[in-house]
Amino acid sequence: MEYLAQAPTFWNGANGSSELWLKIAVAFVVGLLIMFGLMSVPAQFRRAVVAAATFLAGLTYILYWLWPEPIGRQPGTLPSGSIEGVGFFLDDSQQVIGNFYNILSGLLLGLGVYSILRIHTRKLVRQQQDWAFSGVLLLGMLLMIIFGFWDFHDHAGPGAALLDNPANWHWQNYTADFLFDGLLQTMDAGMFSVIAFYILSAAYRAFRIRSIEATILLATAVIVMLSLMGAISYLSTKGINAMSPTLANGQPDTGAFIQNFSLANISQWLQDTLQTSSIRGIDFGVGIGALAMAMRLWLSLERGGVSQ
Amino acid sequence: MSDAPKKNLGDKLQSISKPVLFLILILATSIPLWIPGITVPNEPEKPAMDLFAKVMALPEGSTVLVESDWTNSTRGESGGQFKALFRILMRRHIKACIYTAADPQAPKVARDALRMLNDEQRAKHLPTYDEWTDWLSIGFFPSAEATEVAIASDIRKAFAGRKATPPGGTQQDIFNSPVLEKIRSLKDVPAFFLLTASNTSNVVIERLYGKVPLAMMVTGVMGPETQVYYDSGQLIGLSKGLKGVYDLEILMENGMTMKDGTRIEGFKGMVNRDQGSLYYPTLHVALTLLILAVVVGNVGMMLNRRKAK
C-alpha cells in the first residue's frame, strides 16, 4: 500500500523529468491559488479549513505513535487485516509527510531570504540611516549565492573527486572558500568567542556569596570547574590513592571509602545525583507544558494566527 | 586636587575595570597556544571511554550514520570531536553517511573538516578517506523532527532522491554508493553519531532511541542535559565539550583497558592529538582565571563587610 508520491502514480514523476517539473509547477500554482483563495474567503470559513488541516496533520503523527507498528514487514508484504492495513498506511505516509515538512521548512528559509532582501533593498534605495551596512549585507549575500552555487555545481560534476585536493581548485573554488571559511565562519567563531569576556566579567561582578544558597551554588560550580581541569582532577586522584589502603597487588583499593572524596568522584556524584535529577524535573515540566500547548494548537483552541 | 573618596583594598578588589579583566583574559588564554605539545595529566571520563570502546568495536566495513549539526561557532569543541571520530572511522575502514538537520552551513563545515583530514593523510602519504567510496554527505534536512521520524520508519525512503558524484562519473543515487548500498533499514546501521551544539539531541532521542544504538558528541554547554540520556542508558557513549575531545585524543594515543581486563589498543605513532590537546591547557587557564575572579570579588566584599562592622 504505497502512499501518494512513493509509487509511480499520478502524484509523482521520474527524477529530473519534464513531467515532474510540470507537476511541481502545477502544484505550486494550485498551492498559491488555495492560499490566496483562503485569504479572500470569510474568516469563519477559513478557520474551519485551517482547523481541519491542522487536525489531520497532527492526527497522522498521533496515530503513528499509538497504532500497532507492522512487525517484520518486507517489500511487497500484504497486510493481514484492517488493523495492519492502517499500520502499513501510516508507516508509508511518514516519508511523504516528512517531505512535506522539509519542504515547508525550506520555504520558511526562502521567506527569510525574501524578507531580508525586501527590507535592505528598500533601505538602500531610499538611503535611510546606515544604508551602507545594508549595501554590504546585500553584496555579501549576492557574492555568497553566486560563488556558493558555482562551487556546489563544480562539486556535483564529474571532477568532484579531484576537488577534494585544494591543489586542483579553480579560482571560483578559492573565492567560495575565502567567503565561507575565510570570512563567514571566522566571524561566526569570533562572535561566539566574545561570550568568554562576558562570562568572566559577569562572574567577577555578580557571583557573590551573600547567602547560604549562593555559597552552595558557588561551591558546586567551583568543584565542577575544577573537575573539568584534568590536571587538578588527576592530582586529586593521586592524593586520594596515596591515602587509600592498598590491595595485595600493590594497587590502591578503588572501593575504599576515602575514594568517594576524590574530585572526580565528587563531581560525578554531583552530575549523576543532583544535576541529572534536576534536569529531568525541568524536562518533565517542559514536556507537560509542550503537551498542553500542542493539544491547544492541534485542536485549534489557541487564539490568533492564520485562523483568525 | 580630587575630592573623590580614597578606595580601600576591598573597594579596589571589587572594582577592577573591564578592560583590565579582558586584557588579562586575552594574555592568559593566549600563552598556552604559543607553547604547543603541553601534555596535561588527565583521567578520561566514563562516557568518553564508553564512546571510544564502542567506536573501536564497530565492525570493519560497516556504515554508520553521522548527524553533523555543528558549525564554526563551536569549532573549538565540535570540530575536535568530529576530527577525532573520523580519524577512528577512517583508520578502522568504517564508512559514514553524513547529514544535518540543524543548520544549512553544517554540511560544508563537515566537508571542510574531512578535507583537512585528507590533507593530513596526503602529507604523510597515507590512504585518503574518499567521498562516495568511504563517506557521503547527503546535505541539509530542514525539519529535524520529520526527518528523524522518516529515518526511523524507512531510511531508504527518507534519503530517496539524494545524489552524489562518484570519482570521474556523473551524479548518481546515493544508494548506488558503497557507503549505502547494503543499508536496507536502520537495523543495518551499527551506530548513529550526533555531533551537535543545539537541541537536536532531544529530537534524536525522542525519534531514534531504540531503533539504532545512539552516541552523542556535544558542546560543554550541552553536556549536563545530554548526561541525563547517558545516565539513563539511552546513549552508548558521550563526549562532552573540550574535555571530551581531550579524553578521546588521549584514548586514541594510549588505548584503554576495559573493566574485564580486555585491552583496546589506540593508534600509537599516528596523528591523534590535535585540537583537544592544543586547547585543553587554555581551558585550564580560563577556568583558573574565572575561579580567581570570583575569589577576588568575594574577598573584596568580605573585607568591606568586616570594615563596616
Side-chain angles (χ1 to χ4, degrees), chain B residues 104-183:
Chain B
Q105 294 181 46
K108 169 90 171 125
V109 174
R111 270 177 184 280
D112 287 347
L114 281 167
R115 201 187 69 224
M116 277 183 236
L117 291 183
N118 276 334
D119 287 347
E120 192 180 282
Q121 293 288 100
R122 273 188 216 100
K124 292 191 175 295
H125 305 290
L126 292 169
T128 50
Y129 192 62
D130 298 323
E131 187 170 1
W132 183 263
T133 45
D134 298 315
W135 60 273
L136 285 171
S137 176
I138 60 170
F140 174 53
F141 292 79
S143 171
E145 292 271 0
T147 304
E148 314 300 11
V149 171
I151 289 172
S153 169
D154 187 335
I155 188 171
R156 291 186 81 92
K157 285 178 179 169
F159 292 165
R162 300 268 165 165
K163 293 187 180 297
T165 312
T170 50
Q171 279 199 325
Q172 286 188 33
D173 192 289
I174 53 170
F175 286 99
N176 293 337
S177 145
V179 178
L180 287 176
E181 65 182 355
K182 290 177 188 161
I183 304 297

Side-chain angles (χ1 to χ4, degrees), chain A residues 78-129:
Chain A
L78 292 172
S80 58
S82 58
I83 300 288
E84 199 172 51
V86 176
F88 277 25
F89 175 82
L90 290 169
D91 204 30
D92 289 336
S93 67
Q94 291 312 310
Q95 317 308 322
V96 183
I97 293 168
N99 283 343
F100 270 134
Y101 273 107
N102 275 319
I103 291 166
L104 279 175
S105 306
L107 276 177
L108 291 179
L109 284 177
L111 199 65
V113 170
Y114 167 73
S115 176
I116 285 178
L117 278 175
R118 200 170 65 97
I119 291 169
H120 290 278
T121 309
R122 188 191 298 161
K123 207 169 176 179
L124 187 70
V125 170
R126 295 181 184 172
Q127 297 209 338
Q128 291 170 341
Q129 193 185 2

Side-chain angles (χ1 to χ4, degrees), chain A residues 220-235:
Chain A
T220 313
V222 168
I223 289 170
V224 173
M225 279 196 282
L226 287 172
S227 75
L228 288 174
M229 297 157 74
I232 306 288
S233 189
Y234 180 79
L235 290 175

Side-chain angles (χ1 to χ4, degrees), chain A residues 1-278:
Chain A
M1 183 191 287
E2 297 284 5
Y3 186 77
L4 290 180
Q6 292 172 55
T9 64
F10 169 79
W11 297 99
N12 66 8
N15 215 338
S17 64
S18 51
E19 180 198 356
L20 183 65
W21 282 111
L22 181 69
K23 284 178 178 175
I24 289 172
V26 171
F28 184 71
V29 172
V30 170
L32 281 179
L33 287 175
I34 292 174
M35 196 175 78
F36 286 116
L38 277 174
M39 284 165 70
S40 60
V41 297
Q44 206 172 355
F45 177 72
R46 187 167 65 227
R47 200 176 299 135
V49 173
V50 172
T54 309
F55 182 78
L56 282 175
L59 185 67
T60 327
Y61 272 109
I62 286 171
L63 284 177
Y64 180 65
W65 184 253
L66 296 175
W67 204 266
E69 195 178 338
I71 298 168
R73 184 185 177 193
Q74 298 293 326
T77 309
L78 292 172
S80 58
S82 58
I83 300 288
E84 199 172 51
V86 176
F88 277 25
F89 175 82
L90 290 169
D91 204 30
D92 289 336
S93 67
Q94 291 312 310
Q95 317 308 322
V96 183
I97 293 168
N99 283 343
F100 270 134
Y101 273 107
N102 275 319
I103 291 166
L104 279 175
S105 306
L107 276 177
L108 291 179
L109 284 177
L111 199 65
V113 170
Y114 167 73
S115 176
I116 285 178
L117 278 175
R118 200 170 65 97
I119 291 169
H120 290 278
T121 309
R122 188 191 298 161
K123 207 169 176 179
L124 187 70
V125 170
R126 295 181 184 172
Q127 297 209 338
Q128 291 170 341
Q129 193 185 2
D130 295 333
W131 62 269
F133 294 120
S134 297
V136 172
L137 185 145
L138 292 172
L139 181 68
M141 201 165 149
L142 190 70
L143 285 174
M144 192 65 93
I145 288 170
I146 292 170
F147 286 99
F149 272 107
W150 199 343
D151 186 59
F152 173 78
H153 181 262
D154 285 355
H155 276 92
L162 291 173
L163 295 176
D164 189 39
N165 186 349
N168 300 319
W169 284 4
H170 304 290
W171 73 277
Q172 67 269 21
N173 309 114
Y174 278 111
T175 310
D177 187 62
F178 170 72
L179 288 171
F180 188 78
D181 286 328
L183 292 179
L184 177 69
Q185 294 293 296
T186 311
M187 287 189 286
D188 198 8
M191 204 171 80
F192 212 72
S193 65
V194 170
I195 292 172
F197 293 91
Y198 288 107
I199 290 175
L200 179 67
S201 178
Y204 169 65
R205 284 173 214 293
F207 222 152
R208 296 283 189 267
I209 41 177
R210 293 197 173 93
S211 63
I212 298 286
E213 293 89 339
T215 311
I216 294 171
L217 194 63
L218 182 66
T220 313
V222 168
I223 289 170
V224 173
M225 279 196 282
L226 287 172
S227 75
L228 288 174
M229 297 157 74
I232 306 288
S233 189
Y234 180 79
L235 290 175
S236 148
T237 305
K238 280 274 174 198
I240 292 289
N241 283 347
M243 288 188 272
S244 186
T246 48
L247 297 171
N249 59 6
Q251 294 293 313
D253 180 5
T254 50
F257 179 70
I258 196 165
Q259 290 285 344
N260 291 318
F261 299 99
S262 74
L263 190 59
N265 281 336
I266 295 173
S267 165
Q268 196 65 46
W269 181 82
L270 285 171
Q271 287 181 38
D272 293 348
T273 313
L274 302 181
Q275 175 190 289
T276 300
S277 53
S278 310

Side-chain angles (χ1 to χ4, degrees), chain B:
Chain B
M1 207 173 124
S2 169
D3 292 334
K6 201 178 172 188
K7 280 184 176 176
N8 59 30
L9 183 61
D11 290 332
K12 282 180 185 168
L13 288 179
Q14 287 189 85
S15 58
I16 300 173
S17 69
K18 267 187 193 174
V20 173
L21 273 179
F22 292 173
L23 186 66
I24 294 171
L25 180 64
I26 290 170
L27 291 175
T29 51
S30 302
I31 291 165
L33 297 175
W34 297 104
I35 317 165
I38 301 173
T39 301
V40 179
N42 183 51
E43 276 184 295
E45 288 184 329
K46 192 175 173 297
M49 291 168 79
D50 278 352
L51 179 72
F52 179 72
K54 293 292 178 346
V55 184
M56 294 300 283
L58 289 171
E60 282 201 13
S62 59
T63 295
V64 295
L65 278 181
V66 178
E67 183 174 328
S68 178
D69 288 346
W70 63 283
T71 64
N72 267 11
S73 54
T74 58
R75 63 175 282 277
E77 301 164 291
S78 310
Q81 287 164 338
F82 186 89
K83 286 203 250 177
L85 173 66
F86 274 89
R87 278 196 176 102
I88 304 176
L89 296 179
M90 178 177 12
R91 289 165 191 173
R92 297 209 55 245
H93 308 291
I94 294 163
K95 301 174 197 305
C97 175
I98 310 164
Y99 73 97
T100 183
D103 193 313
Q105 294 181 46
K108 169 90 171 125
V109 174
R111 270 177 184 280
D112 287 347
L114 281 167
R115 201 187 69 224
M116 277 183 236
L117 291 183
N118 276 334
D119 287 347
E120 192 180 282
Q121 293 288 100
R122 273 188 216 100
K124 292 191 175 295
H125 305 290
L126 292 169
T128 50
Y129 192 62
D130 298 323
E131 187 170 1
W132 183 263
T133 45
D134 298 315
W135 60 273
L136 285 171
S137 176
I138 60 170
F140 174 53
F141 292 79
S143 171
E145 292 271 0
T147 304
E148 314 300 11
V149 171
I151 289 172
S153 169
D154 187 335
I155 188 171
R156 291 186 81 92
K157 285 178 179 169
F159 292 165
R162 300 268 165 165
K163 293 187 180 297
T165 312
T170 50
Q171 279 199 325
Q172 286 188 33
D173 192 289
I174 53 170
F175 286 99
N176 293 337
S177 145
V179 178
L180 287 176
E181 65 182 355
K182 290 177 188 161
I183 304 297
R184 295 280 171 268
S185 74
L186 264 189
K187 289 193 177 75
D188 301 322
V189 178
F192 178 104
F193 296 92
L194 172 69
L195 292 100
T196 189
S198 69
N199 77 336
T200 46
S201 52
N202 292 335
V203 180
V204 166
I205 286 283
E206 286 161 14
R207 306 298 175 190
L208 293 178
Y209 172 65
K211 311 270 182 189
V212 60
L214 300 172
M216 291 190 185
M217 307 176 95
V218 300
T219 55
V221 173
M222 294 286 299
E225 63 181 276
T226 317
Q227 176 80 27
V228 175
Y229 302 126
Y230 174 78
D231 287 342
S232 63
Q234 287 169 288
L235 299 180
I236 57 169
L238 171 66
S239 165
K240 297 176 288 180
L242 198 52
K243 163 91 171 113
V245 184
Y246 190 62
D247 284 349
L248 280 178
E249 290 180 3
I250 293 296
L251 290 166
M252 286 163 69
E253 183 74 22
N254 301 331
M256 64 178 265
T257 307
M258 309 266 281
K259 268 189 176 170
D260 62 1
T262 315
R263 176 88 191 138
I264 300 174
E265 293 302 332
F267 303 99
K268 205 84 182 168
M270 300 174 116
V271 178
N272 299 312
R273 298 183 55 186
D274 189 7
Q275 270 181 235
S277 304
L278 186 64
Y279 299 162
Y280 198 44
T282 306
L283 180 71
H284 275 67
V285 175
L287 288 172
T288 308
L289 196 61
L290 197 63
I291 293 169
L292 276 178
V294 173
V295 169
V296 166
N298 280 288
V299 168
M301 183 190 74
M302 283 172 189
L303 285 175
N304 272 358
R305 274 189 184 173
R306 189 175 291 176
K307 199 181 169 196
K309 281 180 185 172

